[in-house]
Amino acid sequence: MRILLTGANGYVGRRLLPELLESGHEVICCVRDVNRLGIDKETIKLITLWEVDFLNEPNFESIPKNIDVAYYLIHSMSSSITAFDEMESKTAKIFNQYMNKMQTKQVIYLSGIVNDDHLSKHLQSRKNVEEILYQGNYQLTVLRAGIIVGSGSSSFEIIRDLSEKLPVMITPKWVLTKTQSIAIRNVIQYLIGVIHNTNCSNQSFDIAGPDVLTYKQMLQLYATTRGFKNWIFTVPIMTPKLSSYWLYFVTSTSYKLAMNLVDSMKIEVIAKDNRLQKLLNIQPISYTEAIELAFIKIEQHLVISSWKDSLVSGRFKKNLTEFIQVPKYGCLNDHKKIKITNLEKTLENIWSIGGEKGWYYGNWMWKIRGFIDKLFGGVGLRRGRTHPTHIDNGDALDFWRVLLADKEKKRLLLFAEMRLPGEAWLEFWIDENNILHQVATFRPKGLTGRLYWYSLVPFHFFIFNGMIRNIAENNL
């Protein structure tokens, strides 16, 4: 069966892809940038890539045709605070134009539960997209889900950050709102189960786990499941803006996502029926079991996808390909090189940089820089990295974005997503003489950018010298 997968780089899309391939389907992955598809080389050989941006006017040249099933896993909630609903409507309309040309038979849309009389802007946008998709020339199946719990999901990571970093919490009253979460494993089961199921044609279904909990209960149950206790006190005076700042500074979420989440957290998200669960004979996973399953993946370093690796977790929404050629003119740089004695171990060190491993020298200074970046609205260091030793093109790595990770060619290229008066690259490569090169390149914007660079030169001397030395010598 020919299946079109939008959102192939997203959290759900990357979980769904291996299941589709294992079932023997032919999969065409839609990506805005083919150079940042976070999938291993063996999997890429099994799929077809289609580079398309559904916010741009359609281009029908060389489009895939005769699509049996298309998954609509696109949303723009993290892209904007005010205009994301307009972006989502435009995307859905352009998607419909493509589907009509492709002669698509079925579209499966993963939406949100929209049963409350007063919907947040985010949930109203999901409902509007649903109505637009129902206008397409295909059979539509809508799966309405609440909070998705799984290793790497934005909701799970926010709950994890709050619970583990704040044993005592002064929280806004929205933590008393009831919600019904669902395990990512159940979501994938539903997404697979409705493929060409005639009982699901042109219908919308609520999908959810068995537990209806307040956000406060979810935080407390997380702590209990992980073997510790937290104390949560609710106050009525915290405004939505203060709540958003609270989430932004304590967790790894972006401010835009925090604002939209707070807006939605005031609305009860509870399923009205379980028709599809009975129809597909799916066993719902409890909230605590979903947490336990997530940590099995985390502890075994088997997290397939994380919301942090999506472009929406950072500042830049541009095509990353335009940054992959490091500029030479009008730039300032720091080039260090050192002879290495253990090629394999040095490569391992380079591929382990960031996250819990740190930056091999002056980690406290990196943390201060991350805190300053967060104060000025940047991403800070809290994103960490998805896997401790594996890196894919497009992955988030603290406040950097991986532009190129080619272990065979012994090259790693990072692009800064921190707030800067310019653009910055950090590159590592090993030449044929076993010389490790470490190059920090900065393209300043005006006088402010140059003053910024020269003010940090004394720190660069110690940080960059120490970093390359420890990467090369930390081979025991």
Side-chain angles (χ1 to χ4, degrees), residues 202-390:
N202 291 326
Q203 293 195 65
S204 299
F205 301 92
D206 289 349
I207 59 172
D211 305 311
V212 177
L213 303 166
T214 65
Y215 291 106
K216 180 177 180 179
Q217 289 172 321
M218 293 180 76
L219 291 165
Q220 290 172 327
L221 278 173
Y222 176 93
T224 301
T225 304
R226 297 300 296 156
F228 61 90
K229 185 173 176 59
N230 54 17
W231 288 265
I232 302 173
F233 302 95
T234 306
V235 295
I237 57 174
M238 196 175 288
T239 66
K241 194 163 189 177
L242 282 175
S243 297
S244 304
Y245 280 123
W246 180 65
L247 280 182
Y248 170 66
F249 280 108
V250 176
T251 73
S252 54
T253 187
S254 66
Y255 180 69
K256 291 176 183 177
L257 181 57
M259 278 288 288
N260 292 325
L261 284 174
V262 167
D263 185 43
S264 293
M265 284 172 173
K266 295 178 290 184
I267 308 299
E268 286 195 349
V269 178
I270 301 173
K272 276 190 175 178
D273 65 73
N274 59 355
R275 288 179 298 141
L276 193 58
Q277 176 194 318
K278 293 177 179 178
L279 180 64
L280 301 181
N281 194 27
I282 289 175
Q283 183 63 41
I285 297 170
S286 70
Y287 172 66
T288 53
E289 186 183 354
I291 293 172
E292 290 167 352
L293 290 171
F295 271 94
I296 290 173
K297 294 289 186 183
I298 292 168
E299 289 162 1
Q300 294 178 352
H301 304 310
L302 295 174
V303 179
I304 297 174
S305 62
S306 172
W307 79 275
K308 299 173 187 177
D309 291 328
S310 171
L311 281 183
V312 298
S313 74
R315 291 183 52 231
F316 294 91
K317 306 299 180 281
K318 300 178 182 178
N319 191 326
L320 292 178
T321 304
E322 62 187 84
F323 298 107
I324 205 165
Q325 292 296 328
V326 183
K328 295 181 180 179
Y329 302 103
C331 295
L332 304 165
N333 65 63
D334 184 292
H335 187 168
K336 301 282 189 290
K337 49 188 176 181
I338 190 171
K339 179 76 173 179
I340 62 173
T341 57
N342 188 330
L343 174 61
E344 184 177 339
K345 183 60 180 176
T346 300
L347 277 173
E348 182 182 323
N349 289 339
I350 294 171
W351 254 250
S352 302
I353 200 166
E356 292 185 8
K357 184 79 171 183
W359 292 84
Y360 291 100
Y361 186 87
N363 281 331
W364 63 273
M365 287 187 276
W366 288 92
K367 290 177 181 178
I368 290 173
R369 181 64 183 89
F371 177 73
I372 293 171
D373 188 54
K374 199 81 170 174
L375 284 178
F376 285 88
V379 295
L381 292 178
R382 290 200 179 99
R383 290 187 306 184
R385 50 182 293 162
T386 301
H387 192 280
T389 58
H390 179 79

Side-chain angles (χ1 to χ4, degrees), residues 16 21 25 36 58 66 69 91 108 130 133 137 147 156 188 197 206 219 252 267 306 320 353 367-368 371 405 451 467:
L16 182 59
L21 292 174
H25 297 297
R36 68 161 300 270
N66 300 318
V69 178
T91 298
I108 301 169
E130 182 177 325
L133 295 180
N137 296 329
I147 286 177
F156 174 78
I188 300 301
N197 190 321
D206 289 349
L219 291 165
S252 54
I267 308 299
S306 172
L320 292 178
I353 200 166
K367 290 177 181 178
I368 290 173
F371 177 73
L451 290 175
M467 186 162 63

